[in-house]
Amino acid sequence: DGGITQSPKYLFRKEGQNVTLSCEQNLNHDAMYWYRQDPGQGLRLIYYSQIVNDFQKGDIAEGYSVSREKKESFPLTVTSAQKNPTAFYLCASKGGAATGELFFGEGSRLTVL
Amino acid sequence: GENVEQHPSTLSVQEGDSAVIKCTYSDSASNYFPWYKQELGKGPQLIIDIRSNVGEKKDQRIAVTLNKTAKHFSLHITETQPEDSAVYFCAASNGGSGNTGKLIFGQGTTLQVKP
């Protein structure tokens, strides 16, 4: 089935450690996005990429990094510089310019101990 | 930049009643307004969207209305059912010529439909 796969679903990390969240899509979509979800704050955009080998910062990029070496993959690294990394992270992709619909993965919950 | 405010944060209704969720946006250039439904432990899913050249759109029990002058749009769910219980998010974007899909989301509304 076509869709977006995020892994791991749950992740625990000690303070000071970097962690990478995986996002893979087989929808042949050009654009991919990372959102962070916190209770009562909706979804906030971390990074997005409209094409391979190119990406832009979203509204809360500090302490995060991404890469887009392949069309299907858009991994997010939460670095030790992110002050409040405990959150639910959502990856999404979008088809061509004619559509506005985002397709989301099931999310990764990161807890920093 | 764009800011989207969503109300109420929680909403409880009896099965069969209607539910209304309201959002306001700040950027008058915004032209695309989707609504997403998020079930527990899952990612959000698009349920309906509207573009700025339309005032209302319906899909079975759900409808969205848009007032561009007031920069306000609403989700209406009629004949609510227990499976409608979820978190609902509104969003807005200025697609421009490239339609980057950079959505700004509201804070979310937790809807509970009581049997």
Side-chain angles (χ1 to χ4, degrees):
Chain A
D1 285 357
I4 298 184
T5 302
Q6 288 187 241
S7 62
K9 199 169 177 67
Y10 299 96
L11 186 61
F12 297 88
R13 187 194 91 178
K14 291 182 180 179
E15 278 192 23
Q17 290 180 335
N18 292 353
V19 62
T20 297
L21 307 180
S22 169
C23 178
E24 302 278 330
Q25 55 103 354
N26 60 4
L27 299 167
N28 200 32
H29 286 170
D30 286 317
M32 297 186 74
Y33 306 80
W34 274 104
Y35 283 89
R36 170 179 171 142
Q37 184 174 12
D38 297 284
Q41 294 196 52
L43 281 67
R44 292 181 291 167
L45 184 63
I46 305 172
Y47 267 98
Y48 65 104
S49 167
Q50 293 180 260
I51 199 166
V52 175
N53 292 323
D54 187 44
F55 49 83
Q56 288 79 39
K57 292 182 178 180
D59 300 316
I60 56 165
E62 185 175 348
Y64 300 98
S65 66
V66 293
S67 63
R68 188 82 188 279
E69 297 175 1
K70 297 187 299 181
K71 186 175 185 177
E72 307 80 29
S73 179
F74 191 40
L76 173 74
T77 297
V78 184
T79 75
S80 56
Q82 168 48 234
K83 297 189 188 318
N84 295 298
T86 295
F88 190 55
Y89 291 89
L90 286 160
C91 178
S93 70
K94 189 176 81 71
T99 175
E101 182 176 3
L102 292 182
F103 291 81
F104 283 90
E106 296 208 330
S108 292
R109 185 168 296 282
L110 172 62
T111 303
V112 175
L113 305 172
Chain B
E2 174 67 281
N3 183 51
V4 177
E5 296 288 332
Q6 182 173 347
H7 298 280
S9 57
T10 60
L11 180 60
S12 182
V13 299
Q14 287 296 132
E15 183 177 358
D17 287 350
S18 295
V20 180
I21 303 170
K22 299 181 179 181
C23 289
T24 58
Y25 60 98
S26 60
D27 186 355
S28 56
S30 290
N31 56 13
Y32 175 65
F33 308 92
W35 286 88
Y36 284 80
K37 176 184 181 183
Q38 185 179 28
E39 296 178 349
L40 197 62
K42 301 284 182 76
Q45 261 193 311
L46 180 72
I47 54 172
I48 195 167
D49 57 10
I50 191 168
R51 295 192 182 272
S52 59
N53 57 348
V54 198
E56 183 176 4
K57 184 176 179 181
K58 287 183 181 179
D59 183 2
Q60 297 181 16
R61 294 187 297 109
I62 61 173
V64 57
T65 58
L66 171 66
N67 182 329
K68 285 191 297 181
T69 303
K71 290 189 279 188
H72 168 277
F73 58 113
S74 300
L75 177 71
H76 304 253
I77 306 174
T78 59
E79 300 172 23
T80 53
Q81 300 167 4
E83 51 265 39
D84 293 329
S85 296
V87 180
Y88 291 81
F89 291 98
C90 63
S93 78
N94 172 9
S97 59
N99 194 1
T100 64
K102 186 181 171 187
L103 290 173
I104 304 300
F105 284 84
Q107 295 85 354
T109 296
T110 300
L111 173 64
Q112 181 186 28
V113 179
K114 297 178 181 176

